[in-house]
Amino acid sequence: MMRSVCMVLILLVNGAALACDGLVVEHAWLRQPPPGSDVAAAYFDARNDGAATLTITAVGSPDFKSAMLHATHVVDGRAVMRPQGDIELAPGAHFVAAPGGAHVMLFEPAKPPTVGDTLTLQLDCRAGEPLRVALPVLRDAPRATPP
C-alpha cells in the first residue's frame, strides 16, 4: 500500500514539474497606464520549444485583481476587443501579444504600476503549475513588435 502511495506522489510531482514544458516567454512588458486608470495592458512573445502541443488556458497576475487575454479585431472600420480563447501551441509554434493585436488586459491593480516597477505575469497551462514571468512596466514598447 505504501509503495502505491509513493508512486502516485512521484507521478503527481513529476507532472507538475512538466507543466508548460517547452513554453518560452520573452519580451513580456506592461504599458504604464494613465494616472487613475484601473486597467492596464501587457504584452509578450511565446513559443513552444517542446516536443508536444501545449495549451495556455488563462493569464493572471498577483499584482491585479483579475486578468483576461483579449484579441483586437477590426469590425466596420473600428477596433474591437474580444476575449481570446485558449492558445494552443504546436511544437515550434509562436504566439505574439503585441500592441494593436492580442494582449492581456489586467484589472484593478493592487497599486498603480509605474515605469521601473517589475510585476508578475502568470500563464496557466492545461495541466500543472502556472508559469510566472517578470513583467517590467515601461512607457513604450521595448522594441518593434511583429504585426
Side-chain angles (χ1 to χ4, degrees):
M1 175 66 169
M2 184 61 153
R3 184 175 179 194
S4 296
V5 170
C6 289
M7 289 302 290
V8 168
L9 288 174
I10 289 169
L11 289 172
L12 287 173
V13 169
N14 285 338
L18 295 177
C20 293
D21 187 37
L23 180 62
V24 177
V25 175
E26 299 176 311
H27 312 295
W29 66 286
L30 181 134
R31 185 182 303 274
Q32 180 182 20
S37 178
D38 65 349
V39 297
Y43 310 98
F44 63 92
D45 298 345
R47 74 175 181 277
N48 182 356
D49 280 354
T53 297
L54 61 87
T55 304
I56 300 169
T57 58
V59 294
S61 173
D63 304 300
F64 291 83
K65 186 173 184 179
S66 64
M68 178 181 277
L69 190 64
H70 279 174
T72 303
H73 302 278
V74 177
V75 178
D76 296 326
R78 291 184 21 204
V80 177
M81 288 187 294
R82 296 206 170 111
Q84 167 89 33
D86 292 352
I87 301 166
E88 190 170 287
L89 293 172
H94 291 81
F95 175 81
V96 177
H103 57 279
V104 177
M105 291 300 301
L106 297 141
F107 303 94
E108 299 183 43
K111 70 178 193 81
T114 57
V115 171
D117 290 347
T118 299
L119 307 177
T120 301
L121 177 65
Q122 179 175 302
L123 302 167
D124 296 338
C125 291
R126 183 155 315 278
E129 296 297 313
L131 174 66
R132 290 183 173 213
V133 297
L135 190 63
V137 179
L138 306 174
R139 189 173 328 280
D140 297 306
R143 60 180 175 71
T145 53

